[in-house]
Amino acid sequence: TCSLLRSPKGFPKLKNDTFLRAARGEETEHTPVWCMRQAGRYLPEFRETRASQDFFATCRNPKLCCELTLQPLRRFPLDAAIIFSDILVVPQALGMEVVMVPGKGPTFTEPLKEVEDLLKLRQKVDVTAELGYVFQAITLTRHSLEGKVPLIGFSGAPWTLMSYMIEGGGSTTMAKAKSWLYRHPEASHRLLRLLADVIIDYLVGQVAAGAQALQLFESHAGHLGPELFQDFALPYIKDIAQAVKSKLKEAALPLVPMIIFAKDAHYALRDLAHAGYEVVGLDWTIRPQEARAQIGKDVTLQGNLDPCALYAPKEKIGELVKKMLESFGTQRYIANLGHGLYPDMNPEHVGAFVEAVHAHSRHINKH
C-alpha cells in the first residue's frame, strides 16, 4: 500500500476524526486512543521489515516508514497514526553524525564538547533538503492511510535534542548537558535558538506534507528543575507553538492541533497549560485529577497509563483503563500511555488496552 508517491494534494477524506475532535475540545462518542511508539519492536512484522536495515537508513526510506506506520493500524483500531521517524533526525540535519548502536541506542560520533563546537553546526538549515525524506514519508503515509485515521507528525524539543547532542547519547544524569546551562548560558541559548528555528520549519513542513496534528517531545524535562525549565525549555516550547501557528496561517496551511509532552515535568503543568498547545501529554507519575486541576478545562489532556501496566493480565488492563477514564473523564481527553511501548510487550495486550478504552468510554458516555 506504500507504493505510489503522490503530491500532497487531494488526500483521501478522513473517516475517523475522533482524535482531532478531542484535541480541539469537541465532544466525542468514545475517547480516542493511540500509543507512543505504537510502530515498534513489540510487533514481529516490525522486526521483520527492519531486520536487514540500519535504523537511520530506515528513517530515510519513505516506503519503509509508511509500512512501519501502518503496521499497528492493521492490528488495532487505533484512532491516530504517528509517522515512523526519530527525534534525532534534527541534529543530523544540523550536520551531526548519529549512529544506532545495538544494545546501546543512538550514539553521536562527535558530541559537542566545547562552545567552539557550535561553529561546526549548520547555521542555516534548508529543511526540505535535509529532512525532505520525512516529508515524503508523511505524504505517502497520508495517502496510504486512505483516510482511516489522522496522521501525527512530531519533533523533539530543543532542550531534549541539546542534551543528546552534548551527552552523545542517553544519560541518567544529563550532567554534561546541564553543566552547559550553568557554565555557558549564552552559548546554550544560541544552540537552543538554532534548534528551535529548525524545529519550527520542520513542523510547518510536516503539515505541508500532510500531517494532521503535531507532537513536541520534551522527553528530558525531568532532568531540569523548575528554574532551569523556566529559563532553557519553556521559552522555546512556547515560541515553537506560536511560530508554527503563525507560519501555517501565512502559508494558508491547516492550523493543526499541537501536543506538548514534557516527561516528568509536573512542576511545570500550569505553565504548559498556557504554552499555546491544544493538548498537554502526561507521563504516568501524575494523578489525572491533579493534572486536570492544574491545567484547567480549556486544554485537552493526553495519557497516561503506566506502560508497564501492559504486562498485567488482560482483565487487569481493562480495570486500570476504566479507572483511568473515570479519573480523567471521557471528554477533552485522549487516552495514551505515559511513555512509549517497550519491545518485549505482547501485542495482544496492546489490543486489550485499545479496546478497553473504546468500550469503557462508550459505556461511561451512555450512562
Side-chain angles (χ1 to χ4, degrees):
T1 52
C2 297
S3 54
L4 278 174
L5 246 189
R6 282 164 277 183
S7 78
K9 300 281 169 284
F11 286 126
K13 192 173 170 343
L14 185 59
K15 296 171 193 143
N16 170 5
D17 66 349
T18 314
F19 163 80
L20 294 178
R21 290 212 315 273
R24 293 192 294 255
E26 297 162 20
E27 206 170 312
T28 59
E29 293 83 81
H30 68 265
T31 297
V33 55
W34 66 280
C35 299
M36 289 186 261
R37 297 211 189 114
Q38 66 190 24
R41 293 167 295 178
Y42 71 101
L43 291 176
E45 59 269 36
F46 176 96
R47 292 196 295 271
E48 230 163 89
T49 308
R50 277 260 305 107
S52 58
Q53 281 274 2
D54 164 71
F55 177 80
F56 286 107
T58 305
C59 290
R60 288 189 288 274
N61 181 325
K63 268 190 200 175
L64 280 181
C65 291
C66 173
E67 167 59 25
L68 295 170
T69 303
L70 295 180
Q71 283 176 354
L73 291 149
R74 294 190 191 120
R75 279 191 186 241
F76 317 118
L78 293 151
D79 293 289
I82 182 165
I83 194 67
F84 175 81
S85 185
D86 194 85
I87 63 172
L88 298 180
V89 299
V90 170
Q92 288 177 335
L94 287 167
M96 294 189 80
E97 193 187 356
V98 192
V99 292
M100 196 56 84
V101 177
K104 187 182 169 196
T107 306
F108 285 74
T109 49
E110 290 182 44
L112 304 173
K113 289 197 172 70
E114 303 302 329
V115 171
E116 297 77 65
D117 294 342
L118 294 181
L119 298 172
K120 294 180 192 166
L121 300 174
R122 275 192 195 103
Q123 303 303 307
K124 266 267 168 270
V125 173
D126 174 347
V127 291
T128 309
E130 300 300 330
L131 295 165
Y133 58 87
V134 179
F135 302 155
Q136 286 177 357
I138 287 172
T139 302
L140 184 56
T141 306
R142 176 83 188 268
H143 281 295
S144 306
L145 275 166
E146 293 172 341
K148 194 173 178 178
V149 293
L151 179 61
I152 303 168
F154 70 90
S155 174
W159 154 250
T160 295
L161 297 178
M162 170 182 172
S163 65
Y164 272 114
M165 290 159 76
I166 293 170
E167 296 290 342
S171 156
T172 49
T173 60
M174 295 293 157
K176 288 180 192 152
K178 284 176 74 176
S179 83
W180 272 54
L181 305 181
Y182 286 110
R183 284 166 43 227
H184 313 302
E186 289 83 8
S188 296
H189 280 298
R190 272 211 313 279
L191 175 54
L192 292 162
R193 181 71 263 160
L194 177 63
L195 284 162
D197 289 342
V198 177
I199 291 162
I200 290 161
D201 288 345
Y202 180 42
L203 290 175
V204 171
Q206 290 185 44
V207 177
Q212 289 153 291
L214 297 169
Q215 177 155 314
L216 189 68
F217 283 86
E218 189 68 282
S219 312
H220 295 167
H223 292 280
L224 303 175
E227 281 168 18
L228 288 179
F229 187 83
Q230 200 75 40
D231 287 348
F232 295 100
L234 189 64
Y236 299 98
I237 288 171
K238 281 182 164 168
D239 186 51
I240 287 166
Q242 206 183 332
V244 166
K245 286 174 184 184
S246 76
K247 288 196 173 202
L248 290 174
K249 267 202 193 104
E250 268 166 47
L253 287 165
L255 279 178
V256 303
M258 295 180 72
I259 307 164
I260 176 66
F261 175 63
K263 190 170 176 292
D264 296 322
H266 322 128
Y267 55 79
L269 287 181
R270 276 201 173 83
D271 290 323
L272 291 169
H274 301 291
Y277 292 76
E278 285 69 26
V279 183
V280 172
L282 303 167
D283 62 69
W284 70 90
T285 63
I286 182 130
R287 288 189 177 86
Q289 295 93 330
E290 277 177 32
R292 184 61 83 190
Q294 289 193 50
I295 286 169
K297 296 207 166 33
D298 301 328
V299 176
T300 295
L301 297 180
Q302 175 177 281
N304 78 337
L305 190 73
D306 180 353
C308 292
L310 297 190
Y311 294 121
K314 285 189 212 170
E315 314 70 72
K316 178 72 177 161
I317 294 171
E319 286 165 34
L320 292 167
V321 165
K322 180 168 179 276
K323 195 174 154 209
M324 178 170 86
L325 284 160
E326 286 163 352
S327 303
F328 275 108
T330 58
Q331 300 297 324
R332 259 217 182 274
Y333 172 54
I334 296 161
N336 204 316
L337 303 172
H339 202 225
L341 287 159
Y342 301 138
D344 63 347
M345 283 177 168
N346 181 339
E348 282 180 23
H349 288 224
V350 178
F353 168 66
V354 172
E355 275 149 33
V357 170
H358 286 162
H360 287 299
S361 62
R362 281 203 175 97
H363 183 80
I364 295 169
N365 284 344
K366 272 204 189 100
H367 302 281

